[in-house]
Amino acid sequence: MVTDYVKDYFNSDKIKVFSTVTKTTIKDLSNINEKSMKNSLYGVNCIFIENSICTLDEFKTFITEYAEWSKEYGYASTNIIMLFFNGNMSELTHSNFTDYYVKEHLAARYMCYVEKNGEIQISERKIR
């Protein structure tokens, strides 16, 4: 769901999303769709967006619009959203993506929290 949204938003495959569902109230896992997921999931997402597909301003706009989309779909989540450069996106894996949280690979890093009650918090994080 998140990967599709980001790819569609930028009309590009130059993104990478790592998601973990940490809590769900969905009972029937054989029939999962947007309707069954609404207000039924809490997840953690790490979203990498290659800087060749957007400017820093467009990236910041995306974060706000992504948060509103998450709120609209009742998807409570913690999100680390990063503007990626100087690396090969295809090399990012679930076991190594945190190795890329450094200034040699990131132009920007933001935290985006979407609470179950609809509250949204977005903050820039220092890149080390």
Side-chain angles (χ1 to χ4, degrees):
M1 185 167 113
V2 174
T3 300
D4 291 340
Y5 175 81
V6 179
K7 282 184 176 184
D8 290 348
Y9 183 94
F10 288 106
N11 194 28
S12 177
D13 287 334
K14 293 183 178 186
I15 63 103
K16 196 85 159 202
V17 177
F18 299 96
S19 297
T20 303
V21 174
T22 56
K23 185 177 180 181
T24 185
T25 58
I26 297 173
K27 304 281 189 247
D28 181 7
L29 299 178
S30 65
N31 185 25
I32 296 178
N33 54 51
E34 282 186 11
K35 185 177 179 183
S36 69
M37 290 190 305
K38 189 164 186 161
N39 298 312
S40 300
L41 288 177
Y42 184 87
V44 176
N45 303 294
C46 295
I47 303 170
F48 289 87
I49 301 165
E50 196 171 287
N51 75 332
S52 65
I53 63 172
C54 66
T55 65
L56 183 58
D57 286 340
E58 291 166 337
F59 172 76
K60 291 177 183 179
T61 298
F62 162 76
I63 295 168
T64 301
E65 291 180 6
Y66 167 78
E68 290 297 331
W69 171 82
S70 295
K71 177 181 172 179
E72 178 184 334
Y73 280 91
Y75 180 50
S77 58
T78 298
N79 304 275
I80 305 167
I81 306 173
M82 294 158 283
L83 192 56
F84 181 78
F85 77 99
N86 193 27
N88 187 344
M89 188 79 73
S90 66
E91 293 176 359
L92 295 173
T93 66
H94 214 289
S95 61
N96 77 358
F97 70 85
T98 58
D99 296 343
Y100 291 86
Y101 283 14
V102 294
K103 63 184 173 185
E104 289 80 19
H105 296 288
L106 299 181
R109 180 173 72 176
Y110 280 75
M111 293 298 298
C112 173
Y113 302 96
V114 181
E115 303 293 336
K116 191 170 185 171
N117 67 5
E119 182 182 341
I120 295 170
Q121 296 178 33
I122 298 171
S123 61
E124 185 174 10
R125 294 300 166 121
K126 184 176 181 177
I127 303 168
R128 297 186 172 122

